Amino acid sequence: MRLTKDLLAGAFFLFLGAGALIVSRAYPSGTASEMGPGYFPHLVGTAIAIIGAVIVVKALAQSGDSITVAQWGFRPMLLILGSVTAFALLANRLGLIIAIVALVAVSRFAARDRGLVEFVILTAVLIAIVMCIFVLGLKVPFRLTPW
Amino acid sequence: MLDNLALGFETAFTISNLLYCLIGVTLGTAIGVLPGVGPIVTISVLLPLTFGLPPEGALIMLSGIYYGAQYGGSTTAILVNLPGESSSVVTCIDGYQMARQGRAGAALAVAAIGSLVAGCIGTLLLAFFAPLLTSVALDLSAPEYCSLMFLSLCCTASLVPSALLKGLVMALTGVLFGMVGTDVYSGLSRFTFGVPGLGDGIDFVIVAMGMFAFSEIISNLVDPEERKLLTTRVEGLMIRLEDLKESWKSMLRGAGVGSLLGIIPGAGVSVASFVAYVVEKKIARDPSRFGNGAIEGVAGPEAANNGAAQASFIPTLSLGIPGSPTMALILGALMIQGITPGPDVVTSHPKLFWGLVVSMLIGNVLLVLLNLPLIGVWIRMLKVPYRWLYPGILVFSCVGILTINMNPLDVALAALFGLVGYIFVKLDYPPAPFILGFVLGPMIEENLRRALLFSEGSYSIFVTRPISAFFLVLTALLFVSILVQILKGGERAVAIGGRSEP
């Protein structure tokens, strides 16, 4: 058995559908004429699980290329999502400006680009634009600085 | 009609709305030209900015981005042989050949004029048909809506026919995520897992930013696009009379094809341009010219994609049913403004609707002015490296999400959706049906509940009511045609018309 894209995805949807069914067991189903909060989730969960199962069966029947982890681009993925998470962690603690600097700094490693001058200019321009639009224009009450 | 148009002119010609229109179409052209930034990403990123705008301004600007991108996309297709947007894929074929033969100016001009013609026709159709459909739609009730939304979901899911199951399961997953939050009828929290912030549901903007903006940035960084500019000087932008003589019929045919396909939910702008190309090739006296710089091969598809872009507003505004992910975003923007989508938008918000119609006419004229005389500016923009762009998109997205609730957890949630979206893309599962399911899901549940209450629990109501049955027959026909296509092994259409839809 080879781990193909469809096998992985099919299994995921099978579990997602089944999981939705299990979680939504706690919601009363009601009857068709008086749908309870669980009626629609049961319907959708079942459909997802069935399609997931069909995809799994099809994937097992057909031969496909195994997933090669090398092509997944973990580096940009981790750096981009990491930079966003860093922004989320810093925005309220140290203020918006430092959060933006961190966001740009971390995300720029994803393009393997480390020119310092470019980084400084880019960050300064972005901070200036954000200041003009959100702070001066829309007057959003951000915490800007750590103090 | 005249009163309404007068109201539209009054609305669209205020200084602020003209400005929003100009910003929208300029941004649209820019993202059409810029690498790796499409209308879905741009509209997602700008959604939080529209919170503070009046509804007319927000809609005028976001719409301008959408149809503006159809203009900009052709510039890259012709000059770099890369589609700026997926709707310009077929423009590459003959447009690039024309450019290689030194006729880049003629190709650009024909694309822009074709887009203008089709844009105006599409807008007039919108002005004519949306109110008409609205009066029909007022007679529709829950069962019809339910079937129509089901049709809409299936159309979008089948955009890549060979991957129908993938599209369907993604749409259903979107519906499932749309359920997160408090059920309006019972007050019960569903799928919130005790997380307090999820009680009001997942904000639509967060899903859109994560699934489209973040995951697209990662994809673009993994597979960087090579850009080789054919020429930096474009001459002969003044279209010759013979070029126009050769292509005006194609423009009109393209406009027709595009407007027709734009109205159908799920078909979208890429399919429209592809079909228009096939039509031109079929009726040409000498089909062998196609692929070697046939001017009709540029005029037809470029007219079609713009016509479809305008026409896709018809179902969105008159029925409240978005035909494509971009329209789902526009609908989401309306909901943020407190406007409930549905057949009464045209009648109860006439300023909004007619203002939009007139702004589209203005916008299309502005786009020709932007695209032809200012072509030099856009050519320079073609070479802006992606490494300058994506940090900007990230900063705008993150700050934008933060403004919704001032809650950094929202930003982290968007990162999570970015991860999920990227994994789906890597597994070849299209994210577009997901966002449509996410928006339509609550409406489907609501209408299903009403329909079944009315029929006392019998599902036969969906087939005994003629209009509802009609929609279901269309859905069945769609499935049958896909099955036939797969059995015939006809995946050629998919190879060109596929890819995710803006």
Side-chain angles (χ1 to χ4, degrees):
Chain A
M1 194 181 84
R2 306 172 76 174
L3 188 64
T4 60
K5 287 177 177 177
D6 275 344
L7 188 60
L8 196 68
F12 167 77
F13 287 116
L14 185 56
F15 281 115
L16 181 73
L21 279 177
I22 292 168
V23 174
S24 63
R25 265 199 324 195
Y27 316 145
S29 182
T31 60
S33 56
E34 272 174 68
M35 278 167 52
Y39 190 91
F40 198 53
H42 293 163
L43 213 63
V44 175
T46 312
I48 294 176
I50 290 175
I51 299 183
V54 172
I55 293 175
V56 167
V57 171
K58 271 179 70 178
L60 287 176
Q62 288 166 348
S63 57
D65 290 330
S66 294
I67 294 176
T68 34
V69 176
Q71 294 161 353
W72 271 59
F74 281 105
R75 184 191 155 88
M77 184 178 90
L78 290 177
L79 284 169
I80 295 297
L81 298 178
S83 69
V84 174
T85 314
F87 178 91
L89 289 174
L90 293 174
N92 274 9
R93 292 194 176 85
L94 293 180
L96 195 68
I97 292 174
I98 291 180
I100 292 178
V101 173
L103 175 64
V104 179
V106 177
S107 71
R108 270 177 61 85
F109 279 105
R112 298 180 187 277
D113 202 90
R114 284 158 217 187
L116 191 65
V117 179
E118 207 180 280
F119 164 71
V120 172
I121 295 175
L122 190 65
T123 315
V125 169
L126 287 173
I127 290 176
I129 296 176
V130 167
M131 285 296 165
C132 287
I133 295 181
F134 288 96
V135 180
L136 298 176
L138 298 173
K139 303 212 166 35
V140 184
F142 286 121
R143 175 178 189 177
L144 293 175
T145 50
W147 47 87
Chain B
M1 187 79 168
L2 280 179
D3 283 356
N4 287 328
L5 276 179
L7 176 69
F9 274 99
E10 216 175 278
T11 313
F13 272 99
T14 60
I15 291 181
S16 55
N17 283 343
L18 279 175
L19 193 66
Y20 293 135
C21 183
L22 182 65
I23 294 174
V25 294
T26 311
L27 263 177
T29 313
I31 58 159
V33 176
L34 288 173
V37 200
I40 297 189
V41 174
T42 314
I43 294 177
S44 307
V45 172
L46 290 184
L47 273 177
L49 272 180
T50 64
F51 293 168
L53 301 184
E56 298 85 36
L59 191 62
I60 286 173
M61 186 171 85
L62 295 179
S63 313
I65 293 172
Y66 181 44
Y67 58 82
Q70 314 304 329
Y71 279 77
S74 60
T75 307
T76 14
I78 291 165
L79 292 179
V80 213
N81 198 18
L82 281 170
E85 301 305 330
S86 60
S87 54
S88 300
V89 175
V90 288
T91 311
C92 292
I93 308 173
D94 281 289
Y96 185 65
Q97 289 302 326
M98 282 181 75
R100 284 186 60 181
Q101 294 156 13
R103 298 172 68 205
L108 287 168
V110 156
I113 293 170
S115 296
L116 172 68
V117 169
C120 293
I121 293 178
T123 305
L124 292 178
L125 286 177
L126 173 67
F128 183 72
F129 275 110
L132 206 70
L133 253 179
T134 295
S135 55
V136 176
L138 286 173
D139 293 334
L140 303 182
S141 56
E144 285 81 19
Y145 272 109
C146 216
S147 305
L148 182 58
M149 284 189 257
F150 184 65
L151 171 67
S152 180
L153 270 192
C154 291
C155 283
T156 310
S158 62
L159 212 62
V160 185
S162 61
L164 177 65
L165 275 184
K166 296 181 182 182
L168 275 182
V169 80
M170 286 302 282
L172 284 167
T173 307
V175 174
L176 185 68
F177 275 83
M179 280 183 229
V180 174
T182 311
D183 177 40
V184 274
Y185 278 82
S186 58
L188 192 78
S189 291
R190 296 190 295 186
F191 303 113
T192 53
F193 304 102
V195 182
L198 289 180
D200 299 329
I202 305 170
D203 202 292
F204 162 77
V205 178
I206 295 170
V207 181
M209 296 249 202
M211 293 276 279
F212 292 113
F214 294 165
S215 95
E216 193 133 325
I217 288 174
I218 303 171
S219 303
N220 284 332
L221 287 171
V222 176
D223 303 308
E225 182 185 82
E226 285 288 323
R227 290 199 158 200
K228 281 206 192 91
L229 199 58
L230 189 66
T231 142
T232 45
R233 286 175 57 90
V234 179
E235 282 156 0
L237 264 176
M238 278 314 288
I239 188 165
R240 290 176 305 177
L241 210 57
E242 55 214 271
D243 287 334
L244 213 52
K245 252 183 209 160
E246 272 180 79
S247 59
W248 69 274
K249 281 185 194 152
S250 311
M251 290 176 187
L252 290 182
R253 278 191 295 262
V257 168
S259 315
L260 202 69
L261 286 172
I263 298 176
I264 299 172
V269 289
S270 312
V271 180
S273 59
F274 177 67
V275 172
Y277 189 79
V278 175
V279 167
E280 290 309 317
K281 202 170 170 178
K282 277 256 163 71
I283 50 178
R285 238 176 265 148
D286 177 15
S288 67
R289 286 189 306 116
F290 282 78
N292 296 314
I295 199 164
E296 300 98 312
V298 177
E302 277 304 315
N305 65 29
N306 205 37
Q310 319 286 353
S312 62
F313 281 89
I314 296 175
T316 311
L317 292 178
S318 61
L319 301 173
I321 292 179
S324 68
T326 319
M327 284 300 125
L329 289 175
I330 300 248
L331 211 62
L334 282 181
M335 291 184 195
I336 290 170
Q337 296 281 353
I339 295 170
T340 322
D344 57 347
V345 168
V346 179
T347 40
S348 62
H349 301 277
K351 234 181 119 182
L352 179 77
F353 176 76
W354 294 101
L356 175 70
V357 167
V358 174
S359 87
M360 281 177 169
L361 295 175
I362 303 170
N364 272 289
V365 174
L366 284 179
L367 276 165
V368 172
L369 296 180
L370 276 177
N371 272 274
L372 293 183
L374 293 180
I375 187 72
V377 177
W378 306 115
I379 290 177
R380 243 166 278 151
M381 209 178 244
L382 273 173
K383 295 176 109 172
V384 170
Y386 193 60
R387 65 171 198 277
W388 294 0
L389 293 175
Y390 77 85
I393 302 173
L394 284 173
V395 167
F396 262 85
S397 307
C398 290
V399 176
I401 297 169
L402 204 57
T403 58
I404 305 173
N405 302 316
M406 297 308 273
N407 185 357
L409 256 182
D410 288 346
V411 182
L413 191 62
L416 191 67
F417 272 102
L419 177 67
V420 174
Y422 180 65
I423 292 175
F424 280 141
V425 168
K426 275 283 144 184
L427 293 173
D428 296 332
Y429 281 70
F434 180 96
I435 197 80
L436 204 62
F438 186 83
V439 172
L440 285 180
M443 293 194 247
I444 295 182
E445 179 173 17
E446 168 82 24
N447 283 292
L448 184 69
R449 186 195 308 271
R450 282 199 212 152
L452 290 179
L453 180 71
F454 185 68
S455 74
E456 294 174 348
S458 164
Y459 274 88
S460 64
I461 188 170
F462 293 110
V463 287
T464 49
R465 292 181 62 116
I467 299 177
S468 164
F470 171 70
F471 291 139
L472 290 182
V473 167
L474 281 185
T475 315
L477 282 177
L478 176 78
F479 284 141
V480 170
S481 74
I482 288 169
L483 220 67
V484 170
Q485 238 178 8
I486 291 173
L487 289 180
K488 278 164 75 181
E491 292 187 13
R492 271 162 299 139
V494 183
I496 301 184
R499 286 289 289 165
S500 62
E501 177 74 6

